[in-house]
Amino acid sequence: MNLNRMIENDFCITFSTINGSGSATANITLMRALFRMGIPVSGKNIFPSNIQGQPTWFTLRLSKDGYLARVQEDDIVVAMNPSTIGKDIDALVSGGVLLIPDDFKINGEIRTDIVLYRMPVRKLIREANVSPQLRDYVANMVYVGVLAHLLKIDMDKIYQALDFHFKSNQKAINTNFDVVKAAFEWATENLEKKDRYITAPMKGTEDYIMTDGNTAAALGSIYGGMQFAAWYPITPATSLAETLNEYLPKLRIDEATGKETYAVVQAEDELAAIGMAIGAGWGGLRAMTSTSGPGLSLMTEYLGLAYYAEVPVVVWDVQRVGPSTGMPTRTSQGDLTMVNFISHGDSQMIILIPGSVNECFEFGWRAFDFAERFQTPVIVLSDLDFGMNQWITKKFDYPDLPMDRGKVLWEDDLEKMLEKNNGVWGRYLDIDGDGIPYRTVVGNQHPKSGYFTRGTSHDEFANYSEDSVVWEEVFARIAKKFDTAKKELPKPEILLQPGAEVGIISSGSADPAVIEARDLLKAEGLRTDYLRIRSLPFSDEIKKFIESHKEVYVVEINRDGQLFQLLTMEYPDIANRLRKAAHMDGLPLTAKWIKNKVLAKEEK
């Protein structure tokens, strides 16, 4: 191995372990240590949908250029699961590195084009001062120490990462770090470096933090004034609600009274959760729920009620692989068409699609503004990759706009409106011509503030009516407010390259792979422009983008090309320019797959 041509801060490590073995602590410790060294790093956890005993993988990518997407090949594999070792070895690139416990047996010949390091895991654990019941869980710290030596990872940063993880619990920190030190010292004395991978401190991540999308969404919701949340546990959305419960007691206590200014309810099922949230939204609270595809399916009828009765509510859909139970612990963008057409009859939803963990925070607070401004459900489409994986992201910006409660009438407001309109006010009247009516909320004591909320056919004054003309007028007025909304929702992000004739459209967690793929395509001589959709209904910028390119590849993480389908329906006259680039195997997209997909079509 030519160690004069070292690969610095630009490789991928995969840890192959057994679910429930405590490997998550070791893996996240390494990730945090590398991040504290200033190295751009991303982590993907591929875990089974059971509690313990099945194979699990954690991929850690270091990228000096700041790429955050998953890569297909492994440069280094730490194989701690004998049942998957053959598959793990096959995933290694030529010249890659394999680390295994010294008591593992490998059937057949070891590849001659890889570097093998054996670690005395059992010996080091026996010699460590670790209680027998903890040894299996702390054993993974051996590979942390060995990698620290081989890759030159700062041991002080590893200690700091353990301190953060265990929240300064000195006993837990010492137990784990003692094993790391023992493994580091053993590796220093016994391993001759034969591989080409190395780390070195970098600068540029000082203004970044490391977190996951569910935490970001919960914090964004809190800073957006969330007052009520109802939820039912479901992977991968559960940690969003759990984070609300973690931070609300710290951030939302009235200083004068010492009382909580929020309510979080774990409901008996998803039907109850959405029903409670809509009821709270009707009463004037900033209300939300979080779920995934199966739970959202159960919420369908209630969302139709909120659409037609015009009740604001926020729903976070952290997508996973479906249909049915599908793969609960894998990621996809498979709920888009369901959400767009959710509910029976003619309906429409405002959909927000964050393209980063930072946008998960931003859309956490903006979703409430849109829900109340347009008096309708807002569904935020995140997914497991954003929601549960750790990402580096710029520090969150505190909301820079005052809360937008929309057209809410209090006593004085209502009195002025009655004076202006000859004593007339109706809950569903379109006074301003934008399709958005005015509403009162619980607590308004004006004698004329009350109204019936109806999910059945009603006129502008909330009176029951089955008159066909009345139905059409009210229904057309509701549609009008979505025309208003698409001008005010988050605009697409557009990135251009001079001379590009080919375009790419994507959304959500496909973005990191597209960003990297565009650089790979440029290196192949193909320049591309890129539009990332951040909200639906579609804005005018999307049509202009399609019209300005001969071909536009719609990149997404599902089987059927759901975004491609919606764009085709929305713009049938230019749909012949669109090219479907959809792939779904439960894993995040890679830049290499996108590059090959685009080049294959271009060659034809």
Side-chain angles (χ1 to χ4, degrees), residues 140-153:
N140 296 295
M141 287 296 162
V142 170
Y143 64 70
V144 175
V146 173
L147 286 173
H149 162 70
L150 291 172
L151 302 179
K152 306 302 179 187
I153 301 173

Side-chain angles (χ1 to χ4, degrees), residues 21-36:
S21 66
S23 59
T25 301
N27 301 337
I28 207 68
T29 294
L30 281 167
M31 185 175 179
R32 283 204 176 98
L34 293 165
F35 172 65
R36 288 171 181 265

Side-chain angles (χ1 to χ4, degrees), residues 272-297:
I274 188 64
M276 292 178 188
I278 290 172
W282 169 84
L285 300 182
R286 293 202 141 186
M288 65 175 290
T289 187
S290 57
T291 189
S292 193
L296 195 64
S297 296

Side-chain angles (χ1 to χ4, degrees), residues 144-381:
V144 175
V146 173
L147 286 173
H149 162 70
L150 291 172
L151 302 179
K152 306 302 179 187
I153 301 173
D154 190 329
M155 287 287 281
D156 288 338
K157 303 302 183 186
I158 291 176
Y159 184 90
Q160 293 169 17
L162 287 169
D163 182 50
F164 180 89
H165 182 80
F166 289 110
K167 297 179 172 59
S168 299
N169 181 329
Q170 202 59 50
K171 183 177 180 181
I173 296 168
N174 291 343
T175 297
N176 285 270
F177 193 64
D178 286 348
V179 175
V180 175
K181 286 193 298 182
F184 179 87
E185 291 167 1
W186 174 87
T188 302
E189 295 173 3
N190 294 278
L191 291 184
E192 177 188 356
K193 187 170 179 64
K194 300 177 181 179
D195 66 273
R196 55 186 174 174
Y197 301 104
I198 201 74
T199 67
M202 292 178 61
K203 293 183 178 180
T205 60
E206 295 83 0
D207 294 327
Y208 284 72
I209 59 174
M210 198 175 86
T211 190
D212 61 83
N214 283 352
T215 296
L219 287 170
S221 300
I222 292 171
Y223 282 100
M226 186 225 88
Q227 295 164 296
F228 180 87
W231 66 290
Y232 184 76
I234 185 171
T235 302
T238 296
S239 63
L240 198 161
E242 291 175 337
T243 304
L244 290 176
N245 284 325
E246 178 183 355
Y247 284 101
L248 279 167
K250 302 174 184 177
L251 300 172
R252 295 291 296 281
I253 303 298
D254 185 90
E255 293 183 0
T257 65
K259 293 183 177 180
E260 299 165 338
T261 60
Y262 63 89
V264 178
V265 179
Q266 181 175 335
E268 61 266 34
D269 54 33
E270 288 89 352
L271 284 168
I274 188 64
M276 292 178 188
I278 290 172
W282 169 84
L285 300 182
R286 293 202 141 186
M288 65 175 290
T289 187
S290 57
T291 189
S292 193
L296 195 64
S297 296
L298 295 174
M299 297 178 180
T300 296
E301 184 177 1
Y302 262 123
L303 287 167
L305 167 67
Y307 167 83
Y308 188 55
E310 300 182 71
V311 177
V313 67
V314 172
V315 179
W316 276 81
D317 175 16
V318 188
Q319 298 168 93
R320 69 190 208 186
V321 175
S324 185
T325 306
M327 290 196 292
T329 59
R330 298 292 190 269
T331 196
S332 84
Q333 295 177 318
D335 294 351
L336 179 60
T337 50
M338 175 181 74
V339 170
N340 190 71
F341 299 113
I342 208 164
S343 180
H344 58 280
D346 297 315
S347 63
Q348 191 170 10
M349 296 290 150
I350 289 177
I351 302 172
L352 302 180
I353 311 177
S356 65
V357 167
N358 203 281
E359 278 192 344
C360 286
F361 176 85
E362 178 189 346
F363 289 178
W365 62 266
R366 296 190 76 183
F368 288 116
D369 285 352
F370 295 131
E372 293 203 298
R373 185 187 310 171
F374 302 113
Q375 298 174 33
T376 194
V378 171
I379 301 177
V380 188
L381 286 181

